[in-house]
Amino acid sequence: MAELRTNTFKQAIREGRPQIGLWSQLMHPLVADMLKESGFDWIVLDMEHGQNEIQDVLVQQMALAGGTAEAVVRPPWNDQVILKRILDTGAQTVLIPMIDDAAAAAAAVAACRYPPQGIRGVASGMRANRFGRIKGYHAQANEQICVLLQVETRKGLENIDAIAATDGVDGVFIGPTDLSTGLGHLANPAHPEVQDAIKMAVERCKAAGKPAGILTADNEAAARYLDWGYTFVAVGGDTGILANGADALAAKFLKKIGR
Ligand code: 3PY
Ligand code: MG
């Protein structure tokens, strides 16, 4: 008899155990298969700024299954229809962008929960319930789904206490690139005003009793964010790893041949 997978990532962040993540935008199950044993605790399959469609995140989750990392699927928007489809693929953790207030937070949570707690549409046979093999899936699913909300605008930052306090929000993720832009420093998270906001945000989340997450490819910043108390920190992305590795290797040998 198939059983519903316990969401150990959700448990870990609830208990404040740091979780190291990676962004994946390369849109291919072979990449997911390659990354699954790299040791990361969570890997984002990105439908917002990555070009992933629903089939892409489906097959990448199949490839990640049995590895070290929780598949975290980011929809392009806080949209109950796309969230329903993502959850039906078996994703147990979602990262929802651009949450600006408590009403948007509550709507996001509701989209991820079956009635009566929410409004998630109900199907009987899909990958999420092992095609009908997980008996009692519908009664257990809400408990295993982890809802992470992105605060990444000036308005979202102003409302971070209410967003974090919203029932059913399992974690708050600060989107540093959008947030920096919203604060008037286009794509510049390193700006002191943005750094102050990032530091303040984790304090607000702690006060609300919710774990906070963030992404940076800057290793020093990642270490600093962990020191500030961020619990789930993504430390890079597969596109950057490949581009930087390829550039460095080419440059090394081009230099050797005098170019
Ligand atoms: C952002 O930085 O805006 C993100 O959404 C991801 O880090
Ligand atoms: Mg963003």
Side-chain angles (χ1 to χ4, degrees), residues 29-166:
L30 188 67
V31 175
D33 189 47
M34 193 187 301
L35 295 175
K36 77 191 273 182
E37 286 147 352
S38 52
F40 286 101
D41 298 311
W42 53 292
I43 292 181
V44 175
L45 305 175
D46 189 5
M47 301 174 75
E48 187 196 17
H49 288 293
Q51 281 72 48
N52 284 298
E53 298 298 338
I54 194 80
Q55 295 93 331
D56 301 311
V57 299
L58 168 67
V59 293
Q60 288 170 85
Q61 286 175 80
M62 291 163 67
L64 286 176
T68 59
E70 172 75 6
V72 176
V73 179
R74 178 162 80 164
W77 191 246
N78 181 15
D79 177 310
Q80 71 179 83
V81 177
I82 184 74
L83 282 164
K84 168 171 60 181
R85 300 191 75 201
I86 289 170
L87 296 174
D88 281 354
T89 67
Q92 289 185 312
T93 303
V94 289
L95 175 65
I96 305 173
M98 295 282 172
I99 301 295
D100 278 352
D101 56 29
V109 170
C112 296
R113 288 180 165 179
Y114 284 133
Q117 292 87 359
I119 57 160
R120 177 181 170 192
V122 184
S124 54
M126 65 281 188
R127 184 170 180 270
N129 72 351
R130 301 304 311 151
F131 312 98
R133 295 191 186 99
I134 301 179
K135 303 298 171 211
Y137 171 80
H138 299 99
Q140 301 166 45
N142 292 354
E143 183 52 35
Q144 295 306 330
I145 288 168
C146 177
V147 180
L148 308 175
L149 302 185
Q150 288 194 225
V151 166
E152 50 185 346
T153 62
R154 188 182 283 277
K155 187 171 174 204
L157 198 62
E158 283 164 11
N159 290 326
I160 193 166
D161 294 337
I163 292 168
T166 300

Side-chain angles (χ1 to χ4, degrees), residues 197-213:
I198 289 172
K199 191 158 191 224
M200 180 276 280
V202 69
E203 297 300 332
R204 304 312 312 154
C205 292
K206 276 192 222 164
K210 295 288 172 71

Side-chain angles (χ1 to χ4, degrees), residues 220-235:
E220 278 180 22
R224 183 166 67 244
Y225 297 154
L226 284 162
D227 290 344
W228 287 352
Y230 277 87
T231 306
F232 52 109
V233 177
V235 295

Side-chain angles (χ1 to χ4, degrees), residues 158-203:
E158 283 164 11
N159 290 326
I160 193 166
D161 294 337
I163 292 168
T166 300
D167 178 52
V169 174
D170 297 301
V172 175
F173 178 96
I174 304 304
T177 312
D178 276 308
L179 181 63
S180 63
T181 304
L183 296 179
H185 309 290
L186 180 63
N188 183 14
H191 191 282
E193 191 190 342
V194 185
Q195 287 292 301
D196 286 349
I198 289 172
K199 191 158 191 224
M200 180 276 280
V202 69
E203 297 300 332

